[in-house]
Amino acid sequence: DNIDLPAATRTGIVVMNTPAGNTTSTAEHSIAMLLALSRNISLAAASLKTGAWERKQFVGTQLAGKTLGIVGLGRVGLAVCARARGLQMRVIGFDPFLSTDRAAELGIELFDNLDELLGQADFLTVHTPLTEQTRGLINADRLAEMKPGVRIVNCARGGIVDETALSEALASGHIGGAAIDVFENEPPGDHPLLADPRVLATPHLGASTEEAQESVAIEAAEILAGFLIDGEVRHAVNMAPISATDLAGIRIYLDLAHRLGMVLAQRNRASGVRSSSVEYRGEVTEKSTRLVTASFAAGLLSEALDAEVNLVNAEWMARERGIEITESRSSEAGDFSTLIRTSLATESGTHSTSATVFGNQFLRLVRLDGFQLDAFLDGNLLVIVHRDIPGLIGFIGTVLGQHEVNIAHLSLGRE
């Protein structure tokens, strides 16, 4: 939330986070807020410190037997679920990316419709990331659908629960209380929720334990070490993650795709680019082709831009320039065990290249536009389109020799 992701991506900086380090602490804080809210602990403690003894005024409600709705069943949501079940609560959940079978194993009644879940919850806690899809997820309409007196906990991200709508629902009495650890703007300043006695608020303390801070620091160090030593990308938020093992298996395809992008870029020197495509066939489809496509985009743009282009920012830069890069896959190998075919549509026509890998290290260009080839795809390439007449190849060799250009390999192709 504190990093300008578009700027980092545009600059080619991979951004990684440490999602596991604070899971337990955040889950415990959510449960602590749930308990404190249900038993009016903060209000009772404040009253007692003034010298009052108002037991009847702070009668609470027990959690056992109540229904807890959990929106978002990732690491924290599932940790909250385990603790809530220990408190003998009925747990219902909503998460489009959790299977019904897995939810049943964890003791969660899974709903495929958020609105249906909201109507059954006595308590609601949210544990989703803040995205354009989840911003304002719990809005005025959904608050109105909930049970009268329901209590809401948000220890995830400010903005998931519409703060204005929540304040109005509390004022009307429809919502019985709220426990808020996060705000849309932090610090929140003079916020109406802070003035409401039915709101228990803390200053973003979900991960503020000694254990969580140490765990996050260790995880951050491990992630950085993996990146710097092995090239591993874990928990990235602006590119596809890849392990060191997967990287070793995909490195040759990254190299191949990057070179194909460079070839296409140099084949097109004068016309505006409209779109591009990458087609994968055979064994390569078992790999993380999204990264291979990013490598192709980096090669395609490397000749055109002064800025550094890499796996992180290549597709972003292509989109900024209105270049759509599409990807398709087919497990059918055809003539080669692996084939990567790329094309570039320009204002003056279309260029295409196809390449494969021989063995574990030899890159081969097997098609250039309409010509079939068997050419090495490394070093300096000289591509000549010429008339198919006797003596022309000898003439070209003589001219290159006169200019001290040594020919390491020659491949001829016909349409």
Side-chain angles (χ1 to χ4, degrees):
D1 292 340
N2 301 310
I3 295 174
D4 187 337
L5 283 181
T9 303
R10 189 181 299 109
T11 312
I13 299 171
V14 57
V15 180
M16 296 177 278
N17 66 7
T18 54
N22 58 16
T23 297
T24 298
S25 292
T26 303
E28 287 184 353
H29 192 67
S30 299
I31 293 295
M33 297 284 266
L34 195 67
L35 285 162
L37 190 62
S38 69
R39 299 305 298 270
N40 298 310
I41 287 177
S42 63
L43 290 174
S47 173
L48 183 60
K49 288 183 177 181
T50 66
W53 188 264
E54 301 171 308
R55 296 180 63 194
K56 293 183 179 180
Q57 185 175 341
F58 301 113
V59 174
T61 181
Q62 67 179 27
L63 297 182
K66 299 299 189 302
T67 298
L68 174 65
I70 303 178
V71 180
L73 293 163
R75 280 178 293 269
V76 177
L78 291 178
V80 169
C81 168
R83 288 155 178 78
R85 292 192 67 213
L87 294 171
Q88 300 177 1
M89 300 188 78
R90 174 197 175 208
V91 178
I92 60 178
F94 172 78
D95 192 316
F97 300 100
L98 184 69
S99 70
T100 304
D101 291 343
R102 179 58 178 156
E105 290 176 10
L106 298 169
I108 304 169
E109 296 177 44
L110 194 64
F111 283 69
D112 57 11
N113 185 298
L114 176 58
D115 296 316
E116 291 180 5
L117 175 145
L118 295 177
Q120 295 195 30
D122 299 306
F123 294 84
L124 182 78
T125 180
V126 294
H127 297 287
T128 71
L130 180 64
T131 65
E132 290 306 312
Q133 290 71 40
T134 62
R135 185 179 298 278
L137 184 67
I138 308 301
N139 54 28
D141 291 339
R142 284 185 164 141
L143 289 169
E145 294 173 5
M146 300 179 74
K147 285 183 177 181
V150 66
R151 294 170 173 86
I152 296 173
V153 176
N154 185 8
C155 293
R157 287 291 182 267
I160 298 171
V161 179
D162 186 318
E163 294 172 1
T164 301
L166 176 60
S167 181
E168 292 173 354
L170 284 163
S172 72
H174 181 69
I175 301 299
I180 308 294
D181 185 48
V182 290
F183 292 85
E184 195 161 359
N185 296 305
E186 296 181 351
D190 186 14
H191 199 290
L193 287 175
L194 299 180
D196 194 315
R198 289 157 297 190
V199 174
L200 169 63
T202 51
H204 207 145
L205 298 181
S208 294
T209 64
E210 294 177 1
E211 294 84 357
Q213 296 302 306
E214 180 178 346
S215 180
V216 165
I218 291 171
E219 188 178 9
E222 291 173 344
I223 288 172
L224 284 172
F227 179 77
L228 296 172
I229 296 171
D230 300 320
E232 170 181 80
V233 178
R234 290 163 49 193
H235 306 308
V237 296
N238 64 340
M239 70 173 290
I242 185 169
S243 68
T245 302
D246 290 340
L247 181 63
I250 204 175
R251 196 180 297 276
I252 192 166
Y253 299 113
L254 297 176
D255 189 17
L256 180 62
H258 190 270
R259 293 171 187 238
L260 288 177
M262 293 179 68
V263 170
L264 279 183
Q266 293 175 71
R267 293 280 288 160
N268 176 61
R269 289 293 192 182
S271 299
V273 176
R274 291 179 176 174
S275 63
S276 185
S277 66
V278 186
E279 178 186 349
Y280 300 99
R281 298 179 66 88
E283 295 174 359
V284 68
T285 59
E286 300 173 5
K287 308 296 183 180
S288 177
T289 55
R290 179 181 171 189
L291 283 175
V292 181
T293 299
S295 185
F296 163 74
L300 183 66
L301 296 176
S302 62
E303 293 290 315
L305 305 177
D306 293 333
E308 178 185 353
V309 186
N310 58 27
L311 293 179
V312 179
N313 63 7
E315 290 185 278
W316 177 285
M317 288 187 167
R319 285 194 298 270
E320 277 194 328
R321 284 153 182 78
I323 303 172
E324 179 186 4
I325 300 177
T326 59
E327 179 182 314
S328 61
R329 299 153 59 98
S330 173
S331 58
E332 296 180 6
D335 294 332
F336 302 95
S337 60
T338 278
L339 184 73
I340 300 178
R341 181 180 183 276
T342 64
S343 67
L344 188 70
T346 72
E347 294 174 357
S348 60
T350 300
H351 298 288
S352 64
T353 60
S354 297
T356 189
V357 177
F358 286 176
N360 295 319
Q361 58 179 320
F362 300 108
L363 309 182
R364 288 290 195 277
L365 181 65
V366 297
R367 195 170 188 88
L368 184 64
D369 290 337
F371 298 93
Q372 292 185 340
L373 303 167
D374 179 16
F376 286 91
L377 192 55
D378 58 10
N380 295 315
L381 303 182
L382 174 61
V383 178
I384 301 173
V385 179
H386 58 82
R387 293 168 60 198
D388 190 6
I389 58 175
L392 190 57
I393 299 301
F395 172 76
I396 292 172
T398 299
V399 172
L400 292 176
Q402 291 173 347
H403 290 81
E404 299 184 352
V405 176
N406 189 44
I407 301 173
H409 181 264
L410 175 67
S411 176
L412 297 175
R414 284 192 171 104
E415 285 189 287

